[in-house]
Amino acid sequence: MTPAELLDSWLEIDPDPATRRAIEAERHRSEWVQAQFGSVLRFGTAGMRAPAGPGPARMNRVMVRIAARAVGAELIAAGFGSRGAVVGFDARPGSADMAFDAARLLAAMGIPTAIIDGPAPTPLLARQLLARSAGAGLMVTASHNPRDDNGLKVYWADGTQIRPPLDRRIEARMDLSSLPTGRELAARHDVESLDVRSVIAEYVGAAVRRPVFGADGQPVDPNDVPPIVYTALCGVGSQTLSHAFATAGLPPPIYVAHQRHPDGTFPGLPFPNPEEPGTLGDAMALAEDHDVNLVLANDPDADRLAVAVPDRDGAWHRLNGDELGVLLCDWLIGLHDDGRAAQPLVSASSVVSGRMVEALCAARGVAHHRTLTGFKWIMEPRLAHPGARWVFGYEEALGYSVTDAVLDKDGISAAVEFARLAGALAARGIGPLERLDELAAEVGLHVTGAASVRANTAVIAAAMASLRADPPRTIAEYPVTKITDWLGPDAPHLADLVELELAPTSAGSPDYDPETQVRICIRPSGTEPKAKIYLEAVSPNPDDVRAERRRLQALLDAIAGAVSVWFEPA
C-alpha cells in the first residue's frame, strides 16, 4: 500500500478519536502523510518509542495492537503461548488504553493474559514475568523520553527484553495489510486483573534484601542512614519506593510533594529525564530547606536512579552514571563476600560505560563482562552463567541491576541499596565523593563524561558514515591512535558504534602524562533522535586525585566540544 492508501485503511479502524481527528485535519498535506504513514516503528535499544500520533511511524493504539498481535503470533510459534503474557503501563496519556488493547488482543488469540490494573513501574512488570513464568511481557512506557512520546517494551520467556534475532522475527510479523479492529479484541473480563498493590508487595518481597550487612560484616544501622529527599519526577515510583524503604527498615524519605503522584504530562519539569540539567532543581531546593545532603530520583517509569550530593564547596553534584555505578558495585561486592568461596561472582556493564567497574571487579576477584548497550545485553551474562552469583550490572545512563529478582534495570531496588550504602559511609564519617577518591587510589582514577546532540536521523547517519569513511587524525589537537568500527569484521560485537582512542597530549607539553588514557565512543541513540558521545580519561596512579580529576575533566570537556559539532546540521 502507498502511504495514502494505508492512511485510508487506518482511519477506518482507528479507535482513538484524537488520532482520527488529526488524520482528517492533516491528510491533505503530503509531507505529513509521508512522515506518519511512510515508515514503520522498529525495536531499538529498549523497545519502540516515538511521539504519540497516528500512523505506523508513531505510537498509538493501532500500532500497539499490531505489535501485540505480532508478539502473540511469535509466542505461539515458539510454543510459549500456554505460559501466557502479562501487560503493564505507566502514567503517560493513552498508556492505559494501549495496554488494555494489547492485553485484550493477546487474550483473543488464546493466550492467557493478565494486566496490572494501574500505572506501575517497569521493574514490576519485569518481576511479574518471572513470578508467573510467563512467556512474554509488554510494558507501555516511554520511560524518560520527551513528554509527547510513548513506547512499548517487550520481554520474553527468559525474563529479559527481546534481543536479535527475536525482535526482527516479531517485526516481520507486524502486518500492515490487515489492521486489527476492535472485533479482534477479547472482552475486558477475559483478561486477568492484577491488583497493583499486590504486585508491589510481591516485587518488594523478592527484590529488597533484609537484613543487610556492610562491607565490615556488621549490620547496617538504619539510624546511620542520612535523611533523604526523593522525587518520582511525576512518574510511578513513589508508592513502590515507599513500600521498599519500609520493608528494608529505612526511614521514609522526604517527598517532593508536587512530583510525588503520577502525572504523565510532567507539569513543571523541563524534561522528564533525571540526566537533564534542571530536572532535579525542585528536589535540591527542598533538600536545602530541610538541611538534607542526599537527593534520590527515579525516572518516570522508575527503572533508573539518579543521585545528587553536595560537593566539597557545598554546591550540588549530580553523580554521573559511572560514578554511581562504581559506588554501587563496590558496595554490592562487599555484600557478596560471604558467598565467594561457594559460587563465582559475575557482573556486567555496557561498552560505552566507564571501565572503573571493570578494574574494581578485577581487583576483587569478580568476573566482569562488557556488553552491547542496553539491558537486554547487560543481563545476558546472568543467563549465561546460571551457577554464578549475580552481583551487579549497569549502564552509564543511570540504569542499575542490584538483584536478579528482576532481569532488567531497576531504580527502586537500586535506591534502597544506595540509601544503605550512604548509611554505611556515614557511619565511617565520609560521603560518596570521599569514597570515590578512595576507590580511585585503589584502582586508578577514571573520569567520564557524556554529551548528546539532537538531530534528525538523516544528519546522524550521514555524520556516522563520514566518520567511518574519513576518520579524524586529531580531535581537539590530540592525535587519534586507534579507531574501532563496531560494524567492521573485527568488532567484538555488531553495533552502530565507533570507538576512538587518543594520545592526550604531546610529549613536549608541560602537563604530559604518558600513562593517561582517553577513549571516546560514538553512536546514534536507540530511543531518541540524537547522537550520543561517551568519553573517558584514565590516570592509573594519580598523586593528587582531586587535582588530577580537574585536569582530566577539562580534557574531556574540550574533546566533547570538538566531537559534538560533527553532528550539527550543515
Side-chain angles (χ1 to χ4, degrees), residues 50-53 59 90-95 98 141-151 233-234 259 263-273 276-279 300 454 528:
M59 279 301 303
D90 68 9
R92 288 180 184 247
S95 287
M98 294 181 196
T141 180
S143 189
H144 61 289
N145 268 44
R147 69 185 75 239
D148 294 331
D149 284 12
N150 215 322
L233 296 181
C234 303
Q259 297 176 349
D263 185 338
T265 65
F266 310 112
L269 283 170
F271 202 94
N273 182 348
E276 295 288 335
T279 306
R454 291 190 173 274
E528 299 178 73

Side-chain angles (χ1 to χ4, degrees), residues 233-318:
L233 296 181
C234 303
V236 295
S238 290
Q239 185 179 8
T240 305
L241 182 127
S242 176
H243 283 264
F245 267 46
T247 298
L250 297 171
I254 302 167
Y255 294 92
V256 181
H258 60 281
Q259 297 176 349
R260 180 174 184 178
H261 301 290
D263 185 338
T265 65
F266 310 112
L269 283 170
F271 202 94
N273 182 348
E275 292 181 284
E276 295 288 335
T279 306
L280 302 185
D282 288 354
M284 293 172 179
L286 181 64
E288 291 172 359
D289 289 344
H290 289 266
D291 196 25
V292 169
N293 292 326
L294 178 58
V295 168
L296 302 183
N298 288 135
D299 70 332
D301 71 328
D303 64 352
R304 297 169 187 252
L305 173 68
V307 176
V309 296
D311 65 17
R312 297 169 185 90
D313 297 322
W316 283 103
H317 175 84
R318 293 192 307 168

Side-chain angles (χ1 to χ4, degrees), residues 6-14 23 37 55-56 60 62 179:
L6 180 57
L7 180 150
D8 289 333
S9 298
W10 201 282
L11 187 57
E12 289 180 7
I13 59 90
D14 192 337
I23 293 172
F37 290 89
N60 50 71
V62 177
L179 301 178

Side-chain angles (χ1 to χ4, degrees), residues 343-406:
Q343 287 178 292
L345 306 182
V346 63
S347 66
S349 63
S350 67
V351 65
V352 299
S353 300
R355 291 178 172 173
M356 191 171 181
V357 160
E358 184 178 10
L360 183 65
C361 287
R364 306 282 180 84
V366 177
H368 185 78
H369 300 263
R370 294 185 69 78
T371 75
L372 292 175
T373 303
F375 258 80
K376 60 188 178 186
W377 300 109
I378 291 169
M379 298 309 302
E380 195 174 31
R382 161 63 181 82
L383 301 175
H385 299 85
R389 183 183 293 193
W390 179 250
V391 175
F392 181 61
Y394 97 101
E395 61 185 1
E396 56 75 40
L398 303 180
Y400 307 98
S401 167
V402 302
T403 168
D404 58 4
V406 174

